[in-house]
Structures are given as C-alpha cells and as structure tokens.
Amino acid sequence: KLPTSYQYSLGVQQSLGGRTVLSVSYVGNQNRYQSDFSQINLPDQSLLPGLVSDSSTYNSVVPYAGFRSIRLAQDEANGHYNSLQLDLRTNVRNELTLQFGYTYSKAIDSAAGNDNGYDLNNTSNPYLGWRYDLGPSFFDRAHVAFTNFVYDIPLFRNSDSRALKTALGGWQLSGIVTMQTGAPLDITLGSNNIASVIPNTRNRPNLNGKISYPKSVDQWFDPSVFSDPAPGQWGNMGHNAVRGPGRDNWNLALFKNFVLSESRGSRIEFRAESFNTWNHTQFRGDRQGGGISSTLGSSNFGAVTNAFDPRTFQLGIKVFY
C-alpha cells in the first residue's frame, strides 16, 4: 500500500475587546504505511549469542547462504501527531504589538536508522520490525512557546526639534522569546552490540529503573539505570526514551529609518541586533547536533558536551535610494 497521511484540524477564533484576538486549534495527523528497510537474511534468533562472540559462521546459517545482507523496502509503519495550539495577538497600544503562541503536542513515529526523522531508514530490530522503533519522533517537543513584539518608541517622535526628532525619534524595538522542552535522545551501545553481527541494525540498552535527570554538566541524566543487554539479546529501552535539555532564548533588535529624501523615498535603515541577548548558557542535546554523551560505556556517558552559541551582537546599515 502507498504511504498515506490523514491530516485534520479544528480551530476557533474569538475577539477579546477591540484589540485582541485569541485562536485555539486542534491539529493532528495519522500516518500509515510509512516506508522502511528491514534486514531479511537473518539467522535463527537462538543462534545470536554464539554469533556475537564468533560471527565467522554467519553466512552459513542464514536462509540465503553467502549473502550476508539483504534488505527489503516495505510500506508498513505507522505514526501520528496531535497538538493543542494557542495564538494570542494584541495591540496593547498604538505603539506596541504583541503575539503569544503555545503548542502542546506529541509526535510518535518509528523512524530509526540514522534517526534524522525521515523514512526509508533501517529497522533497528528486524525480528520485531518497525514496532521496536515506535516512540517519540525526532521532531517531538512536548511544549513550545514563543512571544514576539514590536514597540514603536514614542520618545521624541513628535518633537519640535528637528535634530532630536531625526536622531532620537522614530526608533523601534522588536524581540522574540522562544521556549521549548528537550529533544528526544537515543542511547547507543559501545560494545556487546548485535549490530556488529547483523548488518544495518542497531541495539539499545536495558533500562533497569526510572530515568532521572540531575541536569548538571557532568550528569544530565543518571547513567546508572542503563546496562548492556546479554550477548545476543535486544535491549528493552524504548526508542528515544531519554530527553535532552530544553531551551529558552531571547533575540532583540533596535532599528530606525533615517530619511534622506521624502520626495524620492530614499532612506538609511540602521539595525542593532542581539542573539541570546542575556548570554544565557543553553545546553545542546539532540540527535542531530549532539551535546549529550549518549554512548553507554563511554567515560563521560550522560555528560553535557556542547552548547548553543553565546550572545552575539550584529550591526547593519542598509541604504535605499
């Protein structure tokens, strides 16, 4: 069957006074028959413990002798996304425009392999297929919120002094604040890995308790609850079961147009912009950008290894003539 996606949404808008509009929406989708690759030239699962220690006989115990790897592309996997989305827009005064948005959501899929969130990846455990990889999506963020604003600073805007009006009047301040919960992480094995025997597969560790988060630089999550599965066994930890750090970020900009000629419409636009304005350390932790040591057995397993950029200032001048 062809891959299929059913998308649906329901939204309501309500004015709150003459300056404010609130929007509430339910948005979701159901995805069926998503594609993946699965290894089909497999030995009997009971032989795996012995093959982990000595794989020299692998080609002689598979159904298609001599062919170590045979992958089959299939349209079989399922996934879904559901969310509550809020949007509030208001003009507090003529000088100030505000917008607030919030999304509470859950995204589930079985895209494993290189875990970039797309299809046509290899199933991690070909004996169980896509269901072994069913879990939080690469894109899953439970909570995402933002606020943006544009403030037309009224000081000296109507000054009788042409010099003050030109130099200090007409400035605008804009900003955007974003906040989101952490991205999902997948823990990988540094040893005792079936993937070294069966091509194009991955294994995960056993989870021996509830995952806790000290959230320190040396230990973002508690590494003591993870262990290697027995040789030839697949780990019981769910796909993308660990969460990396969340993020909150402020970007602000101050800008102004200096008119050169009203008749020609020529002007100079000046902008001063700051990114991560308060220079707040924002730990990184996702499959794509790294940031958390997620290989079981490594010396720094569970530690923070990367962060987003510190505060950056940027100045710009644009001439319109």
Side-chain angles (χ1 to χ4, degrees):
K1 296 183 178 181
L2 292 176
T4 304
S5 180
Y6 303 95
Q7 302 179 23
Y8 41 84
S9 63
L10 175 66
V12 176
Q13 288 187 331
Q14 175 65 48
S15 61
L16 305 175
R19 295 174 175 265
T20 304
V21 175
L22 173 66
S23 300
V24 181
S25 301
Y26 173 73
V27 179
N29 64 51
Q30 296 287 327
N31 302 304
R32 297 293 180 264
Y33 318 119
Q34 303 301 294
S35 54
D36 60 36
F37 280 121
S38 188
Q39 190 67 236
I40 63 170
N41 198 25
L42 298 170
D44 188 279
Q45 198 165 356
S46 63
L47 301 176
L48 291 179
L51 291 172
V52 168
S53 58
D54 180 10
S55 61
S56 60
T57 61
Y58 185 92
N59 282 341
S60 63
V61 295
V62 291
Y64 303 98
F67 294 90
R68 187 176 184 86
S69 175
I70 300 177
R71 292 190 304 158
L72 179 66
Q74 301 179 95
D75 296 337
E76 59 176 359
N78 296 337
H80 62 266
Y81 169 80
N82 290 285
S83 68
L84 171 68
Q85 300 181 9
L86 304 178
D87 180 79
L88 183 69
R89 298 169 184 263
T90 182
N91 292 326
V92 179
R93 293 181 298 180
N94 292 332
E95 298 89 1
L96 179 62
T97 301
L98 285 172
Q99 181 186 11
F100 169 77
Y102 168 73
T103 299
Y104 172 64
S105 66
K106 194 172 190 65
I108 300 293
D109 64 30
S110 60
N114 56 6
D115 209 8
N116 58 11
Y118 309 129
D119 61 1
L120 287 178
N121 288 323
N122 299 304
T123 57
S124 298
N125 181 348
Y127 294 95
L128 289 181
W130 63 271
R131 289 176 177 81
Y132 183 72
D133 296 318
L134 192 64
S137 169
F138 173 84
F139 304 106
D140 184 57
R141 306 290 187 276
H143 304 278
V144 177
F146 72 89
T147 298
N148 62 53
F149 66 89
V150 177
Y151 180 46
D152 190 358
I153 301 173
L155 294 176
F156 302 105
R157 184 174 56 194
N158 300 315
S159 175
D160 295 331
S161 170
R162 184 177 181 86
L164 287 176
K165 183 176 180 180
T166 300
L168 301 179
W171 287 90
Q172 287 186 315
L173 177 67
S174 67
I176 180 167
V177 182
T178 57
M179 295 165 284
Q180 64 181 32
T181 51
L185 295 172
D186 218 4
I187 306 300
T188 58
L189 298 177
S191 61
N192 188 26
N193 200 334
I194 296 177
S196 63
V197 178
I198 304 177
N200 302 306
T201 61
R202 298 173 66 191
N203 200 355
R204 294 193 289 271
N206 282 329
L207 185 60
N208 307 307
K210 185 178 180 180
I211 303 172
S212 61
Y213 295 87
K215 296 185 178 181
S216 67
V217 175
D218 295 329
Q219 196 176 92
W220 178 256
F221 58 82
D222 179 10
S224 66
V225 296
F226 305 94
S227 63
D228 282 321
Q233 299 295 316
W234 300 89
N236 64 12
M237 192 190 80
H239 176 55
N240 282 344
V242 178
R243 289 283 172 171
R247 189 180 186 192
D248 62 278
N249 187 60
W250 290 66
N251 296 334
L252 298 176
L254 185 67
F255 53 97
K256 174 178 170 57
N257 287 315
F258 295 90
V259 177
L260 299 178
S261 172
E262 293 183 358
S263 61
R264 291 172 50 191
S266 58
R267 68 187 191 276
I268 296 176
E269 181 185 273
F270 171 79
R271 298 182 67 90
E273 298 171 307
S274 64
F275 305 92
N276 189 6
T277 301
W278 313 123
N279 205 28
H280 170 64
T281 301
Q282 302 175 59
F283 296 138
R284 188 155 191 168
D286 55 69
R287 294 288 298 174
Q288 191 173 46
I292 303 292
S293 177
S294 57
T295 302
L296 180 63
S298 63
S299 59
N300 63 343
F301 178 54
V304 176
T305 61
N306 197 5
F308 289 96
D309 291 338
R311 178 172 53 210
T312 302
F313 287 110
Q314 177 175 289
L315 301 178
I317 292 179
K318 186 182 292 185
V319 179
F320 299 85
Y321 61 91

